[in-house]
Amino acid sequence: MVRAIVGANWGDEGKGKITDMLAKESDIIIRFQGGSNAGHTIINNYGKFALHLLPSGVFYDHTTSIIGNGVALNIPYLFQELQSLKEKGVPKPKILVSDRAQILMPYHVLQDTYEEARLAGKSFGSTKSGIAPFYSDKYAKIGFQVSELFDEETLREKTERVCEIKNVLFEHLYHKPAIDPNELYQTLLSYRDMVAPYVCDVPAYLHEALKAGKNILLEGQLGSLKDPDHGIYPMVTSSSTLAAYGAIGAGIAPYEIRQITTVVKAYSSAVGAGAFVSEIFGEEADELRKRGGDGGEFGVTTGRPRRMGWFDAVASRYGCRIQGATEAALTVLDVLGYLDELPVCVGYEIDGQITRDFPTTVKLNRAKPVYETLPGWKCDIRGLKKYEELPENCRRYIEFIERELNVPVTMVSNGPGRDDIIMR
Ligand code: GDP
């Protein structure tokens, strides 16, 4: 059985926590897209971890963690992350890396950094992890697959060819030093030695695993609204964040994905530029940011303060629909216990007309929020284990959101820890 865990919003919904929790009952956890540009925060018996590239299943000894072909694989980063687990006493996880995954190159990071600097005030708010240049090169067919590391002659020839292209950009557009193809080739050989023990034909492995009735989790990064096709283009990421892409980025049949657990945040937060209709500012935002997540809403990769907003039913309903959500997990609800009342964005006003449908970016940029206000519950709900124990106004908020989403809310997360969960 395959289950996808994906985000309905702009990312940072708490997918890592839900994955870590559900991994307990799973055999295999797969990252199928993205790279080290976004982080998952996980708190468990080993401590607090910010994982960027490793799947959130690495903390159990019964699971296999897989980097799928859809991922932007930063090899030294992967090893650094494995090392940090070791230092904190986590038993060595079982890791497999797809032989078809492509390698995030040192020049991708440079190109991303140079380009953000060139765009200056008009930048996308990239994390400068090289993700956009990586995926551009993949589709321009000048990327490097893991398998190519094992063919020295072709690798050397290709390294030289790609450097020619990159160096035109580096020297003439960015006025930066050229890449030395020999040095790059040596770097790639060192990558090969690092990754060699983990390389695997992942689709074949998964085919056998499915036949054997294994439980598989597909772990998404970011959320629906950052999807390059269905999100707030161009303020999106460069790989698909949707459950549907899980089939491609892991290498399984689409019909194998039976459950799509869509993680929905009980308020809104976003990083990077782009329209954010229910955004709040000033003290109101500072207060929510300070109380949000676990120790404040600051980016796991960059440390940047996240942009904050009220729950956006228009965006979240769209986010669930485009994921094909079969169920929703509502997270960080505990954070909202301080509020007297909770505004919920139930519509967008665009050019004098109110809509409940999420528009394309051009219109989205003109949208103003229409709010409905619900009463707060004014207490701490952490530690509660049963839905009935939640205060009435809290249940009203959940049930209001559930009606707006048109998806059953099967899990309510009321704290950052593995066991802070209310199953319905
Ligand atoms: P992800 O990328 O979707 O995994 O999300 P992040 O890890 O970036 O952000 C979620 C943040 O919220 C992390 O700091 C989590 O520890 C924290 N978190 C997750 N669920 C809850 C919750 O229910 N309550 C609180 N207070 N924090 C949570």
Side-chain angles (χ1 to χ4, degrees), residues 12-17 39-41 293-294 306 332 334 382 413 415:
D12 308 315
E13 295 94 349
K15 296 175 295 294
K17 176 216 154 128
H40 295 300
T41 315
D294 174 58
R306 290 179 182 148
V332 294
D334 53 301
R382 279 207 198 180
S413 174

